[in-house]
Amino acid sequence: MEHRTNQGASADDPIQKAISSAERALSLAPSSPAARMELGQSYWQWGQSRSEQGEDPGKALDKALAAFEGLSAEHRDYDFHIALGLVFETRSDHKSHVGGDPQPDRGRAIEAYRAATALDAGPAVGWLNLGNAYLLRASHPRDEDADGDLTQSLAALDKARERNPSQLMGYIYGADAHELIAGRRRARGQDPRPSLSLALSLYRQGLAVNPKLAYLHNGVGTILLEQAREEWDRGGAPGPLIAEARAAFEQAIAVAPEQGFGYHNVGEALATEVRYTVKSGEDPRKAAEAALVALEKAALKLSDRAASRIAMGAVYALLAMFEVEQGRDPEPQVAKAESALAVALKMDPEDAQGHLALGEARAARALYRGSKGRAAPGDFEEAARSYEKAIELAPEDQDARLAFGHFCRLRAESDKAAGRDPVPMLSKGLEVAAALLSARPDWAEARVLRASLLLRQAEAGPADVRRERAELSRKDFDAALAVNAHLAGRWRDDATVAQSLSLR
């Protein structure tokens, strides 16, 4: 969710003055550890400032390290190791933003913070920095031991909060760690709800310290939306949790009306309602209208950010697919989706959700044109490229793979209607479904995907294949709808056809 604030204006002038003063002090007293520490910290501040302005901090950080390395062993105290860790942390953050590998410098930051806490376990800042460094390393998709790093992160952050219960970042980092654990558990087919509850508890503990911090209200709402997702997946009622999330986002707006993140998050909550309406097989237009109003307001507040426009594009894509299902031309909705996403992807070309929404919108166009016998040769390929780009950018996103699996089914249906062989696309879709169910065997939506693809195989196959494929489809539909009854409205008719074909 979008709930982080912009950094302030450049502080280069006072930083340069500080560097000059420290260099003069060091020239007058070359053996002074205080002057060398001051110089290193000033260069680090310069590097941090350059990084925040989108500039390369490398030279400034190298000079900071050179200053620190000049300190003899007896002067490498707690403050030295904290300062050293901050240099490595800034360098790793910059590498992460420009597509480099941040992990080696994350490791060096962890080593520095561990050294600081070994020298003095009392101050909270060392534990706080250590916990965040472990969390950042665990967040990287190529972390070799994310589970171990998250365990270390939580342990360090527990100590930080014990030592300073009024330090809000201890609650925020702790909530982030539990949210990441929840996501990893979900991806493995495990229950993420205990971790989500712990994350929510930490955000609320932070609000007890400072109820005026919008970030914390936005964090509460974000976790509540994740809990709503879990409720949906298990066939429960996500509505009350979505409403509670909206109330948290509205509170964020109340305490910080000048910030745009609360407005965006209200729009995201409403967009979540749209997605569940579509998945339930109901008319999404009323819910979409409310979501788009909120997201348009958020886009004005966050004019330099892509997220609200990407969410708008995703809602328009859902509306476009609804139009296709009703036999109507989706082009007006597709055009609005493409317009919003063109602006957003110019701001952030590597946003996976933006490419996914673009794929969904273009799939709707291709399907409608195909149904009218006027699909251009590249219509489906254009949509497929957008799906594939989204998966490339976020390979861990199971929802993107699920959407691509349904695209394979829809394209196979179009191929069959046009007299082309549907088997290649059905086979590709089944590969996607198999991978999803290997990770999450009880995920009802992945079972529905496989069931729908097996049913199309049954309908397209010879008589000796039809009954066997239909029986497998029936079993998947039965299992999926038993877990998540919300899906019955959209898939009941297909389940009935599978049942019928399995008996022939």
Side-chain angles (χ1 to χ4, degrees):
M1 290 290 169
E2 289 280 320
H3 57 203
R4 298 196 180 276
T5 58
N6 290 320
Q7 297 292 332
S10 169
D12 279 359
D13 287 345
I15 291 172
Q16 291 301 325
K17 291 177 181 177
I19 290 172
S20 297
S21 296
E23 286 177 335
R24 284 195 300 271
L26 192 61
S27 68
L28 294 172
S31 62
S32 169
R36 190 166 291 280
M37 277 292 295
E38 182 66 26
L39 181 60
Q41 289 172 328
S42 296
Y43 272 122
W44 166 71
Q45 289 174 340
W46 186 27
Q48 177 78 353
S49 176
R50 287 182 62 81
S51 181
E52 289 171 354
Q53 296 172 59
E55 299 173 355
D56 187 352
K59 290 183 179 179
L61 297 178
D62 287 345
K63 289 184 176 181
L65 289 173
F68 290 141
E69 286 168 359
L71 284 165
S72 58
E74 65 268 24
H75 293 117
R76 297 190 175 194
D77 58 6
Y78 179 91
D79 290 337
F80 163 82
H81 289 291
I82 292 294
L84 191 64
L86 290 172
V87 173
F88 288 125
E89 189 176 313
T90 300
R91 194 158 71 180
S92 63
D93 286 344
H94 176 71
K95 287 181 179 179
S96 180
H97 291 149
V98 299
D101 183 3
Q103 295 300 80
D105 285 312
R106 296 270 188 239
R108 295 184 186 102
I110 288 170
E111 290 172 6
Y113 296 140
R114 283 177 62 88
T117 57
L119 286 171
D120 188 348
V125 65
W127 295 111
L128 185 69
N129 289 1
L130 180 60
N132 186 47
Y134 273 122
L135 171 60
L136 290 170
R137 189 165 74 175
S139 301
H140 196 278
R142 291 195 297 274
D143 187 22
E144 296 178 355
D145 184 18
D147 290 338
D149 282 344
L150 286 166
T151 298
Q152 294 282 2
S153 175
L154 290 173
L157 293 169
D158 284 345
K159 291 177 181 177
R161 290 192 301 274
E162 288 170 5
R163 285 155 176 78
N164 186 357
S166 64
Q167 169 54 262
L168 289 173
M169 295 312 298
Y171 301 100
I172 291 171
Y173 293 156
D176 288 345
H178 283 298
E179 185 177 4
L180 182 56
I181 292 169
R184 292 176 62 79
R185 290 184 62 82
R186 178 188 293 117
R188 297 169 178 170
Q190 299 167 342
D191 189 352
R193 290 175 295 179
S195 296
L196 291 174
S197 294
L198 290 168
L200 185 60
S201 174
L202 283 169
Y203 275 129
R204 286 176 167 158
Q205 288 175 55
L207 283 172
V209 176
N210 183 0
K212 298 294 186 181
L213 187 61
Y215 191 109
L216 294 169
H217 291 288
N218 280 315
V220 166
T222 299
I223 300 301
L224 288 167
L225 282 185
E226 289 298 306
Q227 289 182 327
R229 176 183 182 179
E230 291 304 313
E231 194 71 15
W232 159 270
D233 280 345
R234 289 167 171 78
L241 286 163
I242 294 174
E244 194 177 349
R246 283 185 60 188
F249 298 141
E250 295 286 359
Q251 189 61 34
I253 294 171
V255 300
E258 75 286 354
Q259 292 183 10
F261 305 115
Y263 297 94
H264 170 80
N265 289 337
V266 168
E268 283 280 19
L270 291 166
T272 299
E273 291 183 357
V274 177
R275 285 190 287 273
Y276 292 154
T277 300
V278 169
K279 290 174 183 289
S280 298
E282 301 170 3
D283 188 334
R285 287 175 292 182
K286 184 177 180 180
E289 182 179 356
L292 290 167
V293 168
L295 290 167
E296 286 169 1
K297 186 174 184 179
L300 292 174
K301 289 276 186 180
L302 298 168
S303 58
D304 61 339
R305 292 177 178 257
S308 298
R309 290 173 178 82
I310 287 170
M312 288 169 61
V315 172
Y316 281 125
L318 289 169
L319 289 172
M321 194 61 74
F322 175 75
E323 292 299 298
V324 173
E325 291 172 352
Q326 303 304 307
R328 297 190 291 260
D329 188 353
E331 190 57 37
Q333 306 296 346
V334 174
K336 290 176 182 177
E338 288 184 325
S339 176
L341 293 168
V343 175
L345 290 173
K346 186 175 182 180
M347 294 178 180
D348 187 357
E350 302 297 291
D351 189 283
Q353 292 302 307
H355 289 283
L356 177 59
L358 196 58
E360 298 273 74
R362 289 175 171 171
R365 172 187 285 150
L367 288 166
Y368 183 75
R369 289 179 177 177
S371 71
K372 300 300 179 183
R374 53 183 178 85
D379 284 345
F380 278 109
E381 285 72 18
E382 185 180 45
R385 283 194 295 272
S386 294
Y387 283 109
E388 289 162 358
K389 181 66 173 178
I391 293 169
E392 174 192 334
L393 290 169
E396 76 288 350
D397 187 349
Q398 293 171 332
D399 289 326
R401 294 179 182 275
L402 181 76
F404 180 64
H406 280 297
F407 167 76
C408 293
R409 171 182 57 80
L410 292 166
R411 184 171 179 179
E413 292 172 359
S414 182
D415 286 342
K416 181 183 177 185
R420 297 186 294 269
D421 184 5
V423 170
M425 292 309 301
L426 291 174
S427 297
K428 182 178 287 190
L430 283 167
E431 289 176 7
V432 173
L436 291 172
L437 286 167
S438 176
R440 297 175 61 184
D442 297 325
W443 190 15
E445 290 196 61
R447 276 187 176 264
V448 158
L449 171 62
R450 186 170 67 181
S452 66
L453 291 159
L454 289 168
L455 177 58
R456 271 54 178 186
Q457 275 193 338
E459 293 172 328
D464 59 341
V465 172
R466 185 178 304 127
R467 183 171 180 178
E468 179 254 341
R469 299 279 97 179
E471 175 62 12
L472 293 173
S473 173
R474 180 194 68 77
K475 289 180 178 178
D476 268 341
F477 274 128
D478 287 350
L481 300 185
V483 171
N484 189 349
H486 297 300
L487 300 170
R490 171 66 181 81
W491 296 102
R492 185 183 295 108
D493 290 347
D494 278 32
T496 300
V497 172
Q499 168 78 16
S500 177
L501 288 178
S502 72
L503 298 175
R504 293 182 186 176

